[in-house]
Amino acid sequence: VPPERNRNFSIIAHVDHGKSTLCDRLLQSCGVIPENAREQFLDGLEVERERGITVKAQTCSMLVRSEKDGLQYLLNLIDTPGHVDFSYEVSRSLHACQGAVLLCDAVQGIQAQTVSTFHQAFEADLEVLCALSKVDLDYAQKEEVKRQMSVLTGVSTDEVLEVSGKTGQGVPSLLEAIIHKVPPPRGKAQAPFKALLFDAYYDSRRGMVLLIAIEDGELRKGSKIHCSYSGRVHVAMDIGLLYPDLCSVDNLRSGQIGFIVVGAKDIRSFRVGETVWQEGGEKSGEPFPGFKPAHPMVYAGIFPEAVSDGEKLETAMQRLLLTDASVEARRDISPVLGSGYRCGFLGLLHLDVFRQRLSREYGVDVLATSPTVPYHLLLANGTQVVVEHAGDFPTPPAMPPKEVEEPLVTATIVLPRELTPGIQQLCIERRGEELSVEPLDNAGERILMKWRLPLAEVITDFFDKLQALSHGFASFDYQPAGYQPVDLVKVGVRLNNEHVDALSFFALRAKAPEVSRKYLEKLEKVIPAQLFDIGIQAVVGGKVVAKVRIKPIRKDVVAQKILSHGHSGDPSRKAKLLERQKEGKKRLREIAKVQVPPEAFVAMVKM
Ligand code: GDP
Ligand code: MG
């Protein structure tokens, strides 16, 4: 297929609007995957299958013959995640494309990520095709949703396509639209080879796999490539297309999306967004500007559950950080939790998925400490620092900071009009400031509100509250929007009079006593009773603001327990019990002679 017949496009939409299902139909219609393939075929990660969401953008090539002109085209499709926590995946993918298919559920209508992903595609200068999805559903409101899409994107209502990933309706017309409306890549076939590295991962069998969008020229298998970030030269041991499995070819050409396997061991020397040249090409050409670094929203410590897993965690982190460039990480050593990392994530779901991937894909169970937003501190000596861990907050005898600023976000909320007052109330409770309220359609039934909110109020349970208040009919998305002063304190925690930095956290001064009380009640539940009294105190600026006491377990009860286990008739049950106890022991951390389970550190998340 000549370069002018390549089409590179992404599918973008709000969560659950049918992207992955439509990809299945597109791939089946060209015979890339069998008719009876599992659903959401491209969602290959265990976490994706378990949660039913796309976390990682996936690429697949397909050959399509156009009915209109009878010619064959090479289409490269990138399926993207919809959730705001994975928006960096979307923006990265869009750089490899010239077009995007914006899907919108024909029953639900426009939602917050329909708006935000459209703006991303628009800013990336892509040709945006609009399509209603799930048009097979009885309650589909086709005309109404077409009008909404027209207001959002400026395309006329009769240009909005209708598709169903369930029945396959509209798939042939969508393919024709992609072929005839999305422009071919603009690269020069005769120029020296130049490609954008837009994703990478480590495969235990093949080694480093680089996913690239080729701008100019051609690459042959076995050639030497120059990677702009490290400046190193590697041999392209294998090259090919993604179907969606790696499928080797002899050469890759301008306009294609493909992969290169390099024999490099040092994973850290690659960066998504860098430029890959044929060796020598770097001397005369201009590299790509590189991706904007991700903007972490929440920080948490990541430590191995079993202290002995430190090395395993290091290998796993290197590999996972390569495929998820939106995570910021640096080494951290905690006296209590051992050697681990302090990481920045795009949201709590992102943090949770990251933690789960470490466990499922790399076999390392980790605990994550209380997530915190990054605060700006103006110190007494005039310097400004960013603090993203309560342990780093100056406490007596150090001088308190002169000023503390917290991060803000601009939230985009899309909702039915009648829910507006309830949601406004919620935003006000969360210290929000209303910026605008506009209708999304001519009838004014669907509203788009913008609010400025403190990030700390958004990352906890804001989304859950929004869902509950709106019965799932409101959606939201947010973007960083500067900083504002905040009256913040550090709450220290003492176990049997010993200060435990790993348990300390931030709170608004006015709310510190209440939050502390709740937190201690949580600790009271998760810390097992011992043979002695355990006193736990929450301290702000040297003053105790809350305390609990865990009463000792009586000696005879312990004896009784041992006795009853000893007499348990079933030996395999007993073995299992002992195994579980051992497992449990491994996870406990001894702090001030108190056995603290990992749950104590994450307790803050759920409050
Ligand atoms: P994504 O989050 O945008 O990738 O959405 P998915 O493809 O994972 O689909 C979300 C849900 O909608 C799944 O339960 C699908 O079975 C369902 N779904 C997707 N497309 C259609 C469709 O065309 N018709 C119907 N009735 N359901 C669909
Ligand atoms: Mg999906």
Side-chain angles (χ1 to χ4, degrees), residues 20 43 54 79:
S20 298
D43 289 347
T54 307
D79 181 21

PDB file of all heavy atoms in Angstrom, residues 20 43 54 79, ligand 2:
ATOM      1  N   SER A  20     -14.248   0.330  22.669  1.00  0.00           N
ATOM      2  CA  SER A  20     -13.575  -0.958  22.520  1.00  0.00           C
ATOM      3  C   SER A  20     -14.452  -1.949  21.755  1.00  0.00           C
ATOM      4  O   SER A  20     -13.954  -2.738  20.960  1.00  0.00           O
ATOM      5  CB  SER A  20     -13.204  -1.525  23.897  1.00  0.00           C
ATOM      6  OG  SER A  20     -12.311  -0.633  24.535  1.00  0.00           O
ATOM      7  N   ASP A  43      -8.492  -4.942  24.801  1.00  0.00           N
ATOM      8  CA  ASP A  43      -8.243  -4.769  26.235  1.00  0.00           C
ATOM      9  C   ASP A  43      -7.577  -6.029  26.775  1.00  0.00           C
ATOM     10  O   ASP A  43      -8.231  -6.903  27.336  1.00  0.00           O
ATOM     11  CB  ASP A  43      -9.543  -4.509  27.010  1.00  0.00           C
ATOM     12  CG  ASP A  43     -10.118  -3.127  26.736  1.00  0.00           C
ATOM     13  OD1 ASP A  43      -9.398  -2.299  26.151  1.00  0.00           O
ATOM     14  OD2 ASP A  43     -11.277  -2.883  27.104  1.00  0.00           O
ATOM     15  N   THR A  54     -10.715   0.367  29.579  1.00  0.00           N
ATOM     16  CA  THR A  54      -9.453   0.444  28.866  1.00  0.00           C
ATOM     17  C   THR A  54      -8.533   1.360  29.659  1.00  0.00           C
ATOM     18  O   THR A  54      -8.930   2.430  30.087  1.00  0.00           O
ATOM     19  CB  THR A  54      -9.670   1.017  27.451  1.00  0.00           C
ATOM     20  OG1 THR A  54     -10.692   0.250  26.824  1.00  0.00           O
ATOM     21  CG2 THR A  54      -8.404   0.945  26.630  1.00  0.00           C
ATOM     22  N   ASP A  79      -7.153   2.448  19.883  1.00  0.00           N
ATOM     23  CA  ASP A  79      -8.252   2.509  20.857  1.00  0.00           C
ATOM     24  C   ASP A  79      -7.703   3.208  22.093  1.00  0.00           C
ATOM     25  O   ASP A  79      -6.570   2.965  22.497  1.00  0.00           O
ATOM     26  CB  ASP A  79      -8.716   1.089  21.217  1.00  0.00           C
ATOM     27  CG  ASP A  79      -9.881   1.086  22.213  1.00  0.00           C
ATOM     28  OD1 ASP A  79     -10.569   2.119  22.309  1.00  0.00           O
ATOM     29  OD2 ASP A  79     -10.100   0.060  22.887  1.00  0.00           O
TER      30      ASP A  79
HETATM   31 MG    MG B   2     -12.543   0.736  26.143  1.00  0.00          MG
END
